[in-house]
Amino acid sequence: MINSLLGAGNALLTVSSQFIHQHPKRITAVIAALLLSGGGGAFAVASFAPDASELPVRELLEPVQALPIVVPADLDLQALRLFRSEITRTSDTADTLLKRLGVDDAAAAAFLRSDATARQVLIGRGGRNVTAETSERNGLLKLSARWNSDTDGKFNRLVLEKTAQGFVSRVESAALTATSHLASGTIQSSLFAATDDARIPDNIATQMAEIFAGDIDFHRSLRKGDRFSVVYETLEGDGEPLRTGRVLSAEFVNNGKTFQAMWFQDPAPGATVTASSAGTANAGSKGGYYTLDGQSLRRAFLASPMEFSRVTSGFKMRMHPILKVLRAHQGVDYGAPTGTAVRSVGDGVVDFAGVQNGYGNVIILQHRNNYKTVYAHLSRINVRKGESVSQSQNIGAVGATGWATGPHLHFEYRINGVYTDPQNIARENVTTPLSDSAKPVFARLAAENRVALASAASMQTGSTQ
Ligand SMILES: [Zn+2]
């Protein structure tokens, strides 16, 4: 896919260069879309496609042979077909669903009531998009619905069709198509408010926070005016988005400092790139996130002991509940509801798991180089002393045990027993160098992602002007 993508990209850049001067924003958006679509689906992306009427138009005058107009003798002028889509509701019966779809057809209703396949897919099941194709007189000709399959990379499609022998139904399996989307936003109140505004799925917002978790603590460090741009995939069946895919590249400007990342899969055999949590295609070989100049973004420590989510994002950093000051307090408190998952920020071994005076239920992890991390006031402990834990492993849950006036996680970072500002915790890189053979491919992909991210950012500039 990379080769065809690069080939198409180069050709487009050449052909389009003369237009870029006149219409830089729109054109880069189009090019970026083409570059990242991998040869298919880009035109289905409605969220950023420029209005066709606003695109530069160039008239081409070439003589063409007129085709004779042939009206087929058997053209049935009555065969007008109407299409209508609806979302199923859990309360639906065959009749209410068909009624909303504009179908008035007793035989179709009888079939839908009795056919086991169609019933199982459509009745008593909310949230599925159903399309009906009807005759002019509202008779059902065809009905179809799509949903996620358990098989990776596939979706299921129900087709119910009118035949000469009456209605028949079948369930088919087909390949999902990945489509790229560009989006951008500015933080006014929270990351999720900004991603909601930009109509970015929650899963993509969380992925972005995780990708930059080594550099930005999304719980504590977001500023009003921070900006982001993101290129991500959705997986579609027959053009209908059915699943959120992976972030392909992203840029985050936090407090004036710009961070960029791009997904890359080193094709070299034996390359030890770490996989992200967001698997889509390419099962088998692994990939990871890199800066656009080829540095791995995998870190020895995550910046935050809680995954950034819609639940945890709404809670601000707290003053110490007992001491009421931040300065005298050797740690960071994360306010979050009791039960919120707490994760290990790095690989290590459990040094302590149990109750200690003010800490309540507490876990202390020993990492390499005499680094320790402390997770206190827990409502639940999931690990035992001596156990090995890996980065991101769920080790317990937020609580209010010990000296705590409300549920929160107290987190500490110690080097050789000395409390250290956790802001510094994530600076250490795990070096995963790119293989030499991957470098040229990486460089070209990085160049394309720069164009795409710049384009996503300019869309926002355009919309706020
Ligand atoms: Zn505390």
Side-chain angles (χ1 to χ4, degrees):
M1 161 174 163
I2 284 168
N3 283 338
S4 66
L5 199 152
L6 292 172
N10 290 341
L12 277 160
L13 284 173
T14 316
V15 169
S16 312
S17 60
Q18 57 188 309
F19 293 114
I20 289 177
H21 299 293
Q22 290 171 281
H23 302 272
K25 282 175 191 169
R26 293 210 176 94
I27 293 296
T28 49
V30 172
I31 291 170
L34 292 168
L35 286 175
L36 290 156
S37 68
F43 303 102
V45 181
S47 58
F48 67 92
D51 185 337
S53 64
E54 295 180 307
L55 281 170
V57 175
R58 206 160 60 150
E59 206 173 347
L60 287 176
L61 295 174
E62 277 181 38
V64 291
Q65 193 86 50
L67 291 169
I69 297 169
V70 179
V71 178
D74 59 349
L75 178 67
D76 180 359
L77 291 171
Q78 300 301 313
L80 178 64
R81 296 195 153 203
L82 304 168
F83 292 83
R84 198 147 162 186
S85 289
E86 276 291 330
I87 306 289
T88 58
R89 299 173 188 167
T90 47
S91 60
D92 268 335
T93 63
D95 295 294
T96 59
L97 179 61
L98 290 177
K99 190 173 181 202
R100 282 209 312 286
L101 285 163
V103 176
D104 182 10
D105 185 329
F111 182 81
L112 189 49
R113 275 194 295 267
S114 63
D115 183 68
T117 307
R119 281 189 62 84
Q120 204 221 335
V121 172
L122 297 174
I123 306 303
R125 208 184 270 277
R128 278 188 183 164
N129 193 3
V130 188
T131 305
E133 203 176 317
T134 60
S135 69
E136 214 180 358
R137 296 193 175 85
N138 301 323
L140 184 65
L141 301 171
K142 189 175 175 183
L143 183 148
S144 61
R146 279 141 222 95
W147 67 99
N148 265 320
S149 150
D150 292 334
T151 315
D152 223 25
K154 300 262 187 181
F155 72 98
N156 294 324
R157 182 198 294 127
L158 167 77
V159 180
L160 194 162
E161 236 170 344
K162 186 174 191 172
T163 69
Q165 288 76 42
F167 287 102
V168 291
S169 72
R170 62 181 182 274
V171 172
E172 305 165 339
S173 175
L176 287 160
T177 317
T179 304
S180 303
H181 298 253
L182 310 189
S184 65
T186 300
I187 310 292
Q188 300 298 336
S189 56
S190 74
L191 177 63
F192 284 104
T195 52
D196 283 350
D197 279 352
R199 296 187 189 176
I200 295 170
D202 277 14
N203 180 296
I204 295 298
T206 305
Q207 281 186 52
M208 258 204 301
E210 292 302 313
I211 289 165
F212 294 115
D215 291 303
I216 304 166
D217 181 344
F218 279 78
H219 291 106
R220 301 197 297 148
S221 316
L222 284 196
R223 302 274 188 281
K224 187 177 178 182
D226 282 359
R227 290 179 285 114
F228 61 87
S229 303
V230 60
V231 182
Y232 64 94
E233 285 180 328
T234 55
L235 301 173
E236 298 175 353
D238 300 337
E240 180 188 332
L242 293 174
R243 203 182 296 175
T244 306
R246 173 187 287 144
V247 168
L248 298 176
S249 62
E251 175 180 276
F252 210 103
V253 182
N254 173 234
N255 205 13
K257 197 168 176 214
T258 301
F259 302 93
Q260 290 180 322
M262 152 186 139
W263 170 262
F264 186 68
Q265 207 160 352
D266 194 331
T272 53
V273 181
T274 310
S276 90
S277 56
T280 49
N282 305 322
S285 55
K286 290 176 169 180
Y289 288 95
Y290 290 79
T291 63
L292 298 193
D293 52 9
Q295 301 299 310
S296 169
L297 281 171
R298 176 158 154 74
R299 307 280 190 174
F301 294 100
L302 303 173
S304 159
M306 282 189 298
E307 183 179 81
F308 190 78
S309 69
R310 207 174 261 280
V311 172
T312 61
S313 73
F315 292 82
K316 297 276 174 260
M317 186 180 165
R318 336 173 358 133
M319 301 286 272
H320 192 277
I322 303 295
L323 301 174
K324 303 282 183 216
V325 283
L326 281 172
R327 214 169 129 250
H329 171 239
Q330 310 226 303
V332 176
D333 289 336
Y334 292 93
T338 296
T340 304
V342 172
R343 62 184 181 182
S344 161
V345 294
D347 298 342
V349 173
V350 179
D351 191 41
F352 183 89
V355 182
Q356 275 183 19
N357 219 2
Y359 282 144
N361 294 325
V362 60
I363 297 169
I364 301 174
L365 299 181
Q366 173 76 58
H367 308 281
R368 65 197 170 90
N369 299 337
N370 254 333
Y371 295 172
K372 283 185 183 180
T373 51
V374 179
Y375 312 77
H377 309 312
L378 303 174
S379 61
R380 196 177 65 233
I381 290 177
N382 298 339
V383 291
R384 289 187 181 169
K385 185 178 164 66
E387 190 179 328
S388 289
V389 295
S390 51
Q391 188 178 66
S392 294
Q393 185 179 327
N394 180 326
I395 54 173
V398 172
T401 55
W403 296 347
T405 53
H408 73 284
L409 174 69
H410 169 97
F411 176 67
E412 284 178 30
Y413 174 47
R414 299 173 187 163
I415 300 176
N416 293 316
V418 180
Y419 167 77
T420 308
D421 184 350
Q423 284 280 5
N424 302 321
I425 197 172
R427 299 293 170 241
E428 205 179 326
N429 256 0
V430 178
T431 44
T432 351
L434 289 166
S435 65
D436 284 343
S437 62
K439 280 176 185 165
V441 182
F442 184 94
R444 276 176 297 187
L445 209 53
E448 292 172 9
N449 277 295
R450 280 197 181 89
V451 173
L453 290 170
S455 164
S458 72
M459 287 159 47
Q460 188 191 19
T461 314
S463 67
T464 53
Q465 270 167 356

